[in-house]
């Protein structure tokens, strides 16, 4: 799993009475191969700006955006009432069967914090093409960019985030490659597949971030229930022979449906990792005790404990009936 770590990481394990694999002294039946559901896009709709975010453009008006197409390419901007929060901007483009680019441009005068991320919500009805975000200084000659070839425009509102380190110097005569202020922003669609289509943009924001560091506070780990000797904190301790176990099953449920954002269905258990600050991670590894693997689970993240994103889902096929009721155990590690 690749992605951005948020303030909180919630693993909700669906553990129905008929779905747990009990300990056994005989060799266990083979575990069915899981169906891995790809991570959903980051849904922008329920994620309001943080208190420190700077709303660069809410797209309530699109009159300040201009267009610059290559020869033979058409591109235009239009107001749209169906934004993430209020109105949005619709961008229509048509490559007319050949290559080229279409650029939308707006002037700004914005100083950047020492560390930051730029984000915007996007959805589209368009073939894959290269999506470029460009920041231009006051001279108009020096350009910084994030270049994303073969960008697949999501059908649903999705937040695209680019951190400072992901925005590199593109070209220009300056010897100072540190971007501290930009005077204009461009979003370009460059022909990959070409074709024609429409994209929608909303919630363009700059968010200050803490300085990058290698030292973070230890996560605070809690769980929906736990057994004595198998407390939640053992989920991420350094001892691979220990782990968390939930209390004995309290509610029987045959549902293997992933929980709604921020909720836990009856019969399931959860482990909550609070990182206490925004941070990034490269992945998550869950090691199950033999015979105690969950039949289904989801991994969710949140920056505020209110708005949750499901970033990974696993649902397994039927397993052998339970010989007895038993708790679950899991051990997780962030890598």
């Amino acid at each position: 799993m690749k992605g951005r770590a948020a303030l909180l990481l919630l693993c909700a394990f669906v553990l129905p009475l008929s779905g747990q694999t009990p300990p056994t002294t005989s060799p266990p039946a083979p575990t069915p191969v899981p169906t891995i559901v790809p991570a959903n896009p980051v849904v922008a709709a329920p994620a309001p700006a943080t208190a420190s975010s700077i709303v660069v453009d809410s797209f309530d008006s699109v009159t300040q955006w201009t267009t610059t197409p290559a020869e033979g390419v058409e591109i235009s901007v239009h107001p749209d009432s169906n934004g993430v929060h209020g109105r949005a901007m619709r961008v229509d483009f048509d490559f007319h069967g050949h290559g080229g680019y279409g650029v939308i441009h707006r002037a700004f005068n914005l100083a950047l914090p020492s560390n930051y991320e730029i984000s915007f919500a996007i959805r589209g009805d368009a073939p894959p093409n290269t999506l470029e975000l460009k920041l231009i200084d006051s001279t108009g000659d020096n350009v910084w960019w994030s270049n994303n070839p073969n960008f697949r425009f999501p059908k649903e509102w999705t937040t695209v985030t680019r951190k400072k380190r992901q925005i590199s110097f593109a070209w220009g005569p300056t010897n100072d490659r540190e971007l501290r202020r930009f005077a204009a922003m461009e979003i370009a669609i460059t022909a990959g597949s070409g074709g024609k289509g429409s994209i929608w943009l909303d919630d363009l924001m700059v968010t200050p971030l803490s300085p990058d560091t290698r030292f973070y506070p230890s996560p605070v780990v809690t769980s929906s229930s736990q057994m004595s000797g198998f407390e939640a904190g053992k989920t991420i301790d350094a001892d691979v022979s220990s782990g968390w176990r939930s209390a004995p099953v309290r509610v029987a449920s045959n549902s293997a449906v992933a929980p709604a954002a921020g909720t836990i269905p009856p019969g399931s258990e959860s482990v909550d990792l609070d990182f206490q600050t925004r941070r990034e991670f490269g992945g998550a590894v869950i090691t199950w005790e033999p015979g105690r693997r969950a039949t289904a689970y989801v991994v969710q993240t949140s920056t505020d404990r209110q708005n949750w994103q499901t970033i990974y889902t696993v649902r397994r096929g039927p397993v052998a009936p339970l010989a007895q009721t038993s708790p679950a155990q899991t051990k997780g590690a962030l890598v």
Side-chain angles (χ1 to χ4, degrees):
M1 178 180 63
K2 297 289 185 183
R4 177 184 61 168
L7 175 64
L8 302 165
L9 175 67
L10 171 69
C11 295
F13 305 103
V14 180
L15 303 172
L17 184 61
S18 63
Q20 299 176 40
T21 305
T24 175
T25 55
S26 59
T31 302
V33 176
T35 299
I36 300 178
V37 181
N40 294 330
V42 178
V43 179
T50 63
S52 59
S53 295
I54 302 166
V55 179
V56 179
D57 198 332
S58 63
F59 296 101
D60 289 336
S61 171
V62 301
T63 58
Q64 292 178 287
W65 289 86
T66 60
T67 60
T68 305
E71 184 178 357
V73 177
E74 290 185 64
I75 189 168
S76 57
V77 297
H78 310 273
D80 192 283
S81 59
N82 298 313
V84 177
H85 302 107
R87 301 177 67 83
M89 179 169 67
R90 189 184 84 241
V91 182
D92 299 334
F93 66 90
D94 191 341
F95 287 99
H96 291 289
H98 53 76
Y101 58 83
V103 177
I104 61 173
H105 174 105
R106 182 185 163 178
F108 289 101
N109 182 17
L110 185 64
L112 290 167
S114 58
N115 193 20
Y116 60 88
E117 65 182 22
I118 295 175
S119 62
F120 55 89
I122 188 171
R123 69 180 181 90
D125 181 12
N129 282 290
T130 298
L131 181 68
E132 301 171 0
L133 171 68
K134 300 178 183 178
L135 304 176
I136 306 165
D137 71 3
S138 59
T139 70
D141 297 325
N142 299 298
V143 179
W144 288 254
W145 71 346
S146 170
N147 186 28
N148 305 274
N150 197 35
F151 185 86
R152 297 183 179 276
F153 298 98
K155 298 293 185 181
E156 304 297 331
W157 282 113
T158 301
T159 296
V160 171
T161 301
R162 293 293 177 262
K163 289 182 168 55
K164 175 182 177 179
R165 69 171 184 276
Q166 296 169 319
I167 300 173
S168 60
F169 181 76
W171 61 80
T174 184
N175 292 321
D176 184 0
R177 303 299 174 87
E178 179 78 11
L179 179 63
R180 300 176 180 85
R181 177 183 294 270
F182 65 91
M185 176 182 291
E186 292 183 346
I187 297 175
I189 302 170
T190 303
S193 300
K196 65 179 181 178
S198 298
I199 67 171
W200 287 259
L201 298 167
D202 200 0
D203 288 353
L204 176 60
M205 292 185 287
V206 173
T207 302
L209 300 178
S210 300
D212 289 332
T213 179
R214 296 178 58 190
F215 303 99
Y216 293 96
S218 298
V220 176
V221 187
T222 57
S223 61
S224 53
S225 71
Q226 60 187 20
M227 291 183 63
S228 177
F230 300 91
E231 291 77 14
K234 295 188 177 181
T235 307
I236 58 170
D237 65 15
D239 184 357
V240 296
S241 66
S242 68
W244 164 72
R245 290 189 187 183
S246 64
V249 174
R250 296 158 292 168
V251 180
S253 171
N254 292 319
S255 173
V257 178
T263 64
I264 303 170
S268 66
E269 302 286 352
S270 66
V271 176
D272 183 296
L273 279 65
D274 186 343
F275 292 99
Q276 305 184 67
T277 185
R278 287 178 58 124
R279 59 181 295 185
E280 293 180 74
F281 59 93
V285 177
I286 302 175
T287 303
W288 301 94
E289 181 184 9
R292 297 186 186 273
R293 182 184 296 268
T295 58
Y297 63 92
V298 298
V299 179
Q300 298 179 329
T301 61
S302 174
T303 58
D304 58 8
R305 227 183 244 280
Q306 301 297 319
N307 304 291
W308 293 87
Q309 303 162 1
T310 297
I311 60 173
Y312 193 73
T313 301
V314 170
R315 298 184 181 93
R316 293 183 172 84
V319 296
L322 268 182
Q324 65 184 67
T325 299
S326 59
Q329 176 178 356
T330 183
K331 187 163 191 72
L334 295 180
V335 295

